[in-house]
Amino acid sequence: MDIALVGLLVVGSVVLFVSEVFRVDIVALMVLSAVMACGLASPAEALAGFSNPATITVAAMFVLSAGLDRTGTLNPLSDWIAKLIRTKGTVISLFALTAVTGLVSAFINNTAAVAIFLPAVMSATKEAKVSPSRFLLPLSFVSMAGGTITLIGTSTNLLVNSVAVSHGIREFGFFEFAPLGFVLLAASLLYSITLGLRLTPERRRPQDLTEEFEMGSFISNLSVNPEGNTVRHTLKDSGLKSVKGDILTLKRQNVERKPSENEVLESDDALVMRTEEPEQLEKVRDEIGVSVGYQKLRDRDLEGDQAILIEATVSSSAEGSTLRARDVKKTFDAVPLAMSRRGTLTHKKLEDLPLRSGDTILFQVERDRVDQLRLAGTFLVLSQEEKQVRPRHALGAVFIVLGVVLAAAFNVTPIVVSATIGALVMVLSGCLNTEDAYRAIDWKVIFLLAGMLSLGSAMETTGAASVFSEAILEGIRHLGPQAVLGVLYVVTTLLTAGMSNNATAALLAPVAIFMAHSMEVSPRPFLVAVAFAASACFTSPIGYQTNLMVYGPGRFKFIDFIKVGGPLNLIFLLISVFLIPLIWKF
C-alpha cells in the first residue's frame, strides 16, 4: 500500500508540474504534506530537506552570486559583450557571449549569470538593430552547459551529490564533473554559432518598445478644451477618471512632466494617456471636454527627463502575485503599459492579472526609481541603465567567492560550510546588506528542493525506489550497463522537460542508485547521468529557469525550443553515454 501511495504521489506531482495549475514550490509543499499525512515518512524525515546540505548550499550560492552582481564585479564583462554586439558580426559576438557565460556559470548560479548578461544583450541588439532572439537561446543553453562543470555550477549537481552522500557513496569532488562538463560546453559553443544559429528564428525585431508592444492604439494625445468640464478640476476629480487608464505626461507651456492626481488642469494642457479601451475615450471625449489626437508613436514620446520606458521580466519569486498587490505604481512610480505572455500581448486589467514567471511587462517608470525596481527582486529589468553598485567592494566579493571555491576544491571544508561562511562574509563586509541577501535567495527553488527531497526519502523508506528501478530495468538489463545508462539519461531528459531539473533529480537519483546496485555495478556513472541530463533541458521553456528567463524577451514559441534544443539534446545524449563510462567506470 505504501509503495502504491508513493506511486500515486509521483504520478500526481508530474501531472501538476506539467499542467502548471500550481507553482512548482506549491506542488512540492503539497507533496511534502501528503508524505507526512500518509505516514510515508516521519515528520523529521519529511522535513529534513530544509536542512539538507544541498538546500543550504543553494541558498548560500544565491547570496554569493548576488554579491558579485551588486558590487558590479561582472559589469566590465557585460559592457564588453555589449560593445562586441554593436561593433562586430553576430558570429563573433555570439561566440564571445556564450564562452564568457559558460565559464561564469561554472562558478556562480547559472540563473544569476543569465540575469547579468541578459540586459546587456537586449540593449546592445536594439542599438545594433539586430534581433535579440538570435542571442537569447544560446545564452540560456550555454549557461546550462557551463553550470555542469563544477559542483556549485547548478543546484542539480549539489542535489545529486547530497543524495549520493546520504547513501554512503563518496561525495563528488568540486571539479569531478569538469572533464565531461568542458566537452559539453565546447559542443554547445560550436553548435550555437553553426547549426543552432541557422535554426534559431528571429522572433523579435529590433524596434521601439512602443512598437514591439503595439501601444499605438492604446496611447492618446489629449488637449483640455477651455469650455470643457475638465478644466480647473484636479485629475482625480475630472471627467478623465471615468476612463480606464493612466495619465502618463502633462505638457504645459512647453514643460513636460508627470502629473500627480491633485494636479489642477488648465486650458490647453496637453496630456498623454494610456487607455485600456480606446473606444471608450472616443465616446466620452465631448462630455468630459477634451480633444483626442493620435500620431505615430515612438519611445521618445513617452520618455523625458523624469520618465523612461523599460521592459522587465517577472521573476519566479513573484509568480502568482499581481501588480496591484505589489503596489508597483506607488512603490516605484511605475505605470504598466502592456504585458507579453507566451507570445500574446495584453493591454487590459494589467494590475489584476496573476503574474507568471517569464511574463514581460512594459513600464513607464521614473528614472530615479529604475534601480529600486531592479533591486526589489520582483522583476529582472531588461535595460542596461546605470546600476547603483558598490565598486569599492568588488575586489572583496571576488576574493570571497574565490575563497569558497578554493576551500571546497582542496577539501579544506565541505562545500556547505565554505558557501555558508562566504555568504555571511558577503553581508558582514558590506558587499550586500541583509535585505539584499534575503531578496537574492530564490525561495521558490528552496521550497522545491525541500519538498521533493521528502518524496525521495519516502521512495527509499517504502521500497518504491527499488520497485521503480526494477521496472525500468525490465527488458533492458541484458543490454548491459551502458545501454541502461542511456535509457536513464533519456528518461531524465523527458521528465525534466515537463517538470523541473531539481524535481527530476530528486526523484531519479535514488532510482539510479538502486538500478546500479541491482546490476552490481558502481552507482557513480548513473548519478552523473541523472545530474547532466537534468541540467540540460533544451527542448522546453519550463524545464529550466534560464529558458523561462529568455522565453518572453525573445518572443519565442514552445516549438522553437524543440526545433533548436532538440538536436543539442541529442548531441549531449550521445557524448554523455559515450564518455561517462570512460570517466566514471562501472
Side-chain angles (χ1 to χ4, degrees):
M1 178 60 72
D2 287 346
I3 292 175
L5 285 173
V6 171
L8 286 174
L9 279 179
V10 171
V11 173
S13 62
V14 171
V15 170
L16 288 175
F17 279 126
V18 173
S19 64
E20 296 184 86
V21 175
F22 302 103
R23 287 171 35 148
V24 292
D25 52 335
I26 299 299
V27 174
L29 288 177
M30 292 166 66
V31 168
L32 185 152
S33 301
V35 166
M36 291 190 293
C38 296
L40 300 174
S42 69
E45 291 171 332
L47 297 171
F50 287 102
S51 60
N52 188 284
T55 307
I56 304 300
T57 306
V58 169
M61 290 308 302
F62 279 124
V63 176
L64 291 169
S65 300
L68 292 175
D69 181 39
R70 191 70 180 90
T71 56
T73 305
L74 297 176
N75 282 4
L77 276 177
S78 62
D79 291 341
W80 177 65
I81 294 296
K83 182 179 179 182
L84 286 179
I85 293 174
R86 289 191 294 263
T87 59
K88 303 295 183 181
T90 299
V91 173
I92 293 175
S93 54
L94 180 58
F95 180 79
L97 170 67
T98 50
V100 169
T101 303
L103 293 175
V104 168
S105 296
F107 298 99
I108 68 172
N109 188 279
N110 44 20
T111 57
V114 171
I116 289 170
F117 293 110
L118 184 55
V121 171
M122 296 301 294
S123 296
T125 52
K126 183 178 179 181
E127 292 180 35
K129 292 182 169 48
V130 296
S131 172
S133 305
R134 308 295 295 277
F135 292 84
L136 295 186
L137 275 185
L139 175 65
S140 175
F141 291 172
V142 173
S143 74
M144 291 187 231
T148 63
I149 293 174
T150 66
L151 185 61
I152 63 173
T154 173
S155 55
T156 311
N157 287 357
L158 289 166
L159 180 57
V160 169
N161 179 64
S162 176
V163 173
V165 172
S166 69
H167 284 78
I169 300 170
R170 178 174 53 86
E171 68 177 355
F172 286 92
F174 189 87
F175 286 108
E176 186 170 342
F177 295 106
L180 179 58
F182 274 117
V183 172
L184 294 179
L185 175 60
S188 62
L189 289 175
L190 182 61
Y191 177 82
S192 295
I193 61 174
T194 53
L195 180 60
L197 183 60
R198 293 176 62 88
L199 293 175
T200 303
E202 296 185 6
R203 294 292 185 194
R204 181 166 182 168
R205 295 176 296 164
Q207 58 189 355
D208 276 10
L209 290 172
T210 49
E211 188 176 359
E212 175 66 33
F213 282 87
E214 299 178 7
M215 292 302 304
S217 59
F218 295 91
I219 300 294
S220 304
N221 297 299
L222 311 181
S223 179
V224 178
N225 296 334
E227 304 301 326
N229 61 13
T230 293
V231 70
R232 292 183 294 279
H233 285 75
T234 62
L235 272 174
K236 67 178 182 180
D237 295 327
S238 71
L240 290 170
K241 68 178 182 180
S242 65
V243 181
K244 294 179 181 179
D246 299 281
I247 301 296
L248 303 179
T249 61
L250 180 148
K251 187 174 183 180
R252 179 181 296 162
Q253 296 178 350
N254 293 322
V255 177
E256 191 170 273
R257 54 191 169 82
K258 187 175 181 179
S260 71
E261 61 178 9
N262 295 315
E263 185 80 43
V264 177
L265 296 174
E266 298 180 3
S267 177
D268 296 325
D269 278 350
L271 305 170
V272 176
M273 184 177 189
R274 179 192 76 90
T275 56
E276 292 188 4
E277 300 174 1
E279 61 277 4
Q280 180 191 18
L281 183 60
E282 289 289 341
K283 292 178 181 178
V284 301
R285 61 179 182 176
D286 293 332
E287 178 185 335
I288 63 179
V290 295
S291 301
V292 181
Y294 301 94
Q295 65 181 34
K296 183 174 175 57
L297 190 65
R298 309 291 296 180
D299 285 2
R300 61 175 178 267
D301 297 321
L302 299 180
E303 296 182 326
D305 294 335
Q306 292 181 320
I308 186 174
L309 289 180
I310 63 165
E311 181 181 3
T313 185
V314 176
S315 69
S316 62
S317 62
E319 191 170 6
S321 182
T322 65
L323 295 177
R324 190 180 302 280
R326 297 277 171 171
D327 202 15
V328 295
K329 282 187 178 179
K330 290 184 179 179
T331 305
F332 308 110
D333 278 334
V335 179
L337 305 180
M339 176 188 292
S340 175
R341 170 176 293 171
R342 309 285 171 94
T344 302
L345 287 174
T346 304
H347 299 86
K348 298 180 180 181
K349 299 180 180 179
L350 298 178
E351 290 187 83
D352 299 312
L353 287 174
L355 299 175
R356 297 174 67 178
S357 182
D359 289 346
T360 56
I361 303 174
L362 177 64
F363 287 106
Q364 185 199 53
V365 61
E366 296 292 288
R367 287 183 182 272
D368 59 0
R369 294 294 191 94
V370 173
D371 211 62
Q372 186 181 352
L373 182 68
R374 178 185 284 113
L375 294 175
T378 305
F379 305 99
L380 171 61
V381 177
L382 305 179
S383 166
Q384 222 180 358
E385 290 296 309
E386 193 65 31
K387 296 181 182 179
Q388 294 179 14
V389 296
R390 299 170 179 167
R392 64 190 182 91
H393 294 289
L395 191 59
V398 171
F399 279 117
I400 291 170
V401 174
L402 186 61
V404 170
V405 170
L406 292 177
F410 289 99
N411 294 318
V412 177
T413 63
I415 183 62
V416 65
V417 176
S418 61
T420 302
I421 293 174
L424 177 62
V425 175
M426 275 286 186
V427 175
L428 294 178
S429 64
C431 296
L432 284 175
N433 61 43
T434 307
E435 292 304 316
D436 287 342
Y438 279 117
R439 282 194 293 263
I441 299 173
D442 191 338
W443 295 103
K444 179 179 174 181
V445 172
I446 301 303
F447 280 92
L448 172 64
L449 283 170
M452 295 311 295
L453 280 169
S454 70
L455 183 55
S457 176
M459 288 174 61
E460 296 169 44
T461 56
T462 62
S466 177
V467 172
F468 294 165
S469 66
E470 288 298 327
I472 295 175
L473 287 172
E474 184 71 26
I476 62 170
R477 187 195 303 268
H478 66 283
L479 297 176
Q482 190 165 14
V484 172
L485 184 141
V487 171
L488 178 64
Y489 191 103
V490 171
V491 171
T492 306
T493 300
L494 293 176
L495 272 181
T496 303
M499 296 170 59
S500 77
N501 56 317
N502 292 317
T504 301
L507 284 177
L508 291 185
V511 173
I513 293 172
F514 280 98
M515 289 174 67
H517 287 164
S518 177
M519 299 182 69
E520 298 182 349
V521 296
S522 170
R524 214 166 187 79
F526 293 88
L527 287 170
V528 172
V530 170
F532 275 84
S535 297
C537 177
F538 308 122
T539 56
S540 166
I542 63 175
Y544 208 90
Q545 183 62 30
T546 58
N547 283 351
L548 267 180
M549 292 171 69
V550 303
Y551 191 16
R555 302 296 185 267
F556 295 113
K557 298 180 180 180
F558 203 106
I559 190 65
D560 296 331
F561 287 87
I562 298 174
K563 176 183 170 183
V564 183
L568 187 57
N569 259 132
L570 180 60
I571 291 170
F572 271 45
L573 167 65
L574 297 175
I575 292 175
S576 298
V577 172
F578 175 72
L579 288 182
I580 287 176
L582 298 179
I583 301 172
W584 295 274
K585 304 295 183 181
F586 288 118

